[in-house]
Amino acid sequence: MLNTIWGFLKANWIDLLLIFVGASALLIYWLQERRKISDAASLIVTQVEELQKSIREIGSYIVDKKLNEGAFYESQTLYKTDYWNQYKHYFIKRIDAYSFNIFDEFYNCASEVLEQQQLMKNLQKNSFFLTQQMLMQMESQSITQTMAACVQSPTDSNFLIQAARNTIPQDMDPAQKAAIENFLQQFNPAKLGINYDLFWNTFNTYKGNLHSIINQQALTSYIPQQIRISLDNALQKYHSIPIIGCEGYRKLKKIASR
């Protein structure tokens, strides 16, 4: 008997080796696919739990039908990757149709909340950018106007130059008269310097007052009511979706723990 088995193995070892290698490859492939499915289920289950917590937190930003702008600005993005839409093809035959639809509805609801969150944050960022542009324009205008107002004594200089011209004798030698005129031209008000102490005192006072007014919310921060309305609708829908209680969620948790 042993001789027969040994003879069979000796005669067919190449074929048996190929069968063994093929079976090993199939086993490795099956284990890898099984691991992919388990990892995908784990990512979906974890994300669902995190989304539930984050959506409830965003719901708390609506108080008396008004949005808490500071809370929205500081909030983290709801999610960056939709793991359900990325991996749901793995589970279309592994969970029941009802649960599959529940997951679709839950992620559609989360997508709506994310869209309104991003719109809100983009409006805030654009508002900050436009306010900064306005401040720079107003400060630039103030610099130009303040510099013009701080040229040193243009009125007194004009008076003194004219008084000096009036003292020139009419019969003075033309060459001497021209020399005196050239000398007086050096005191042209357009060539006079700026009183920098006066400039900085004036400009810093204006800038301080401007910033104080802006920081006290003189500018209206416009947030469309539709953002709050859309969020309210999405949150109401979220509360009606039994994602945790459905059979498919329990099945995904079981697959994730394999």
Side-chain angles (χ1 to χ4, degrees), residues 199-209:
F199 169 81
W200 285 114
N201 287 335
T202 305
F203 176 71
N204 286 335
T205 299
Y206 169 82
K207 184 169 70 171
N209 291 335

Side-chain angles (χ1 to χ4, degrees), residues 33-187:
E33 288 300 304
R34 179 184 172 90
R35 179 61 181 272
K36 285 181 182 179
I37 295 171
S38 296
D39 288 346
S42 180
L43 287 170
I44 293 170
V45 168
T46 301
Q47 187 172 61
V48 166
E49 294 172 353
E50 291 176 348
L51 283 174
Q52 284 198 311
K53 179 181 177 181
S54 298
I55 291 174
R56 286 195 298 268
E57 184 178 352
I58 289 177
S60 69
Y61 299 161
I62 304 175
V63 181
D64 296 331
K65 294 186 177 182
K66 293 183 180 180
L67 299 178
N68 185 332
E69 297 181 29
F72 264 101
Y73 182 75
E74 295 175 355
S75 65
Q76 297 294 319
T77 301
L78 191 61
Y79 64 86
K80 295 181 180 179
T81 303
D82 184 337
Y83 290 125
W84 171 246
N85 281 306
Q86 185 171 339
Y87 296 119
K88 66 181 181 181
H89 60 280
Y90 286 145
F91 309 105
I92 192 167
K93 293 183 179 180
R94 287 181 167 84
I95 63 176
D96 60 283
Y98 172 77
S99 297
F100 198 89
N101 289 332
I102 288 293
F103 272 92
D104 274 341
E105 289 180 8
F106 177 81
Y107 272 85
N108 287 338
C109 178
S111 175
E112 177 63 24
V113 175
L114 174 63
E115 182 178 349
Q116 299 307 317
Q117 182 195 34
Q118 291 176 329
L119 176 58
M120 177 76 171
K121 292 170 77 73
N122 287 336
L123 284 173
Q124 290 175 312
K125 291 177 182 178
N126 288 338
S127 176
F128 296 157
F129 176 74
L130 292 173
T131 300
Q132 180 64 35
Q133 279 193 321
M134 182 203 69
L135 281 171
M136 292 181 66
Q137 290 174 356
M138 294 183 71
E139 289 177 355
S140 298
Q141 292 173 359
S142 176
I143 288 174
T144 303
Q145 293 170 359
T146 306
M147 286 179 64
C150 291
V151 173
Q152 291 179 333
S153 306
T155 304
D156 293 344
S157 180
N158 278 327
F159 175 77
L160 292 174
I161 291 171
Q162 189 57 45
R165 284 198 179 105
N166 292 337
T167 63
I168 300 175
Q170 294 297 324
D171 56 351
M172 179 177 284
D173 181 72
Q176 292 179 338
K177 189 175 182 179
I180 293 174
E181 281 290 346
N182 290 335
F183 177 77
L184 292 176
Q185 284 297 326
Q186 296 180 22
F187 294 93

Side-chain angles (χ1 to χ4, degrees), residues 176-235:
Q176 292 179 338
K177 189 175 182 179
I180 293 174
E181 281 290 346
N182 290 335
F183 177 77
L184 292 176
Q185 284 297 326
Q186 296 180 22
F187 294 93
N188 189 320
K191 298 181 180 179
L192 296 175
I194 296 174
N195 186 333
Y196 285 102
D197 289 336
L198 179 60
F199 169 81
W200 285 114
N201 287 335
T202 305
F203 176 71
N204 286 335
T205 299
Y206 169 82
K207 184 169 70 171
N209 291 335
L210 178 62
H211 290 187
S212 178
I213 291 170
I214 296 299
N215 290 334
Q216 293 181 43
Q217 299 180 342
L219 298 177
T220 301
S221 177
Y222 174 68
I223 301 298
Q225 282 293 322
Q226 187 59 48
I227 294 179
R228 194 266 306 165
I229 294 171
S230 296
L231 276 175
D232 272 337
N233 293 336
L235 290 170

Side-chain angles (χ1 to χ4, degrees), residues 3-14 16:
N3 289 334
T4 302
I5 295 174
W6 174 251
F8 174 79
L9 293 176
K10 186 175 181 180
N12 298 282
W13 71 272
I14 294 178
L16 293 173

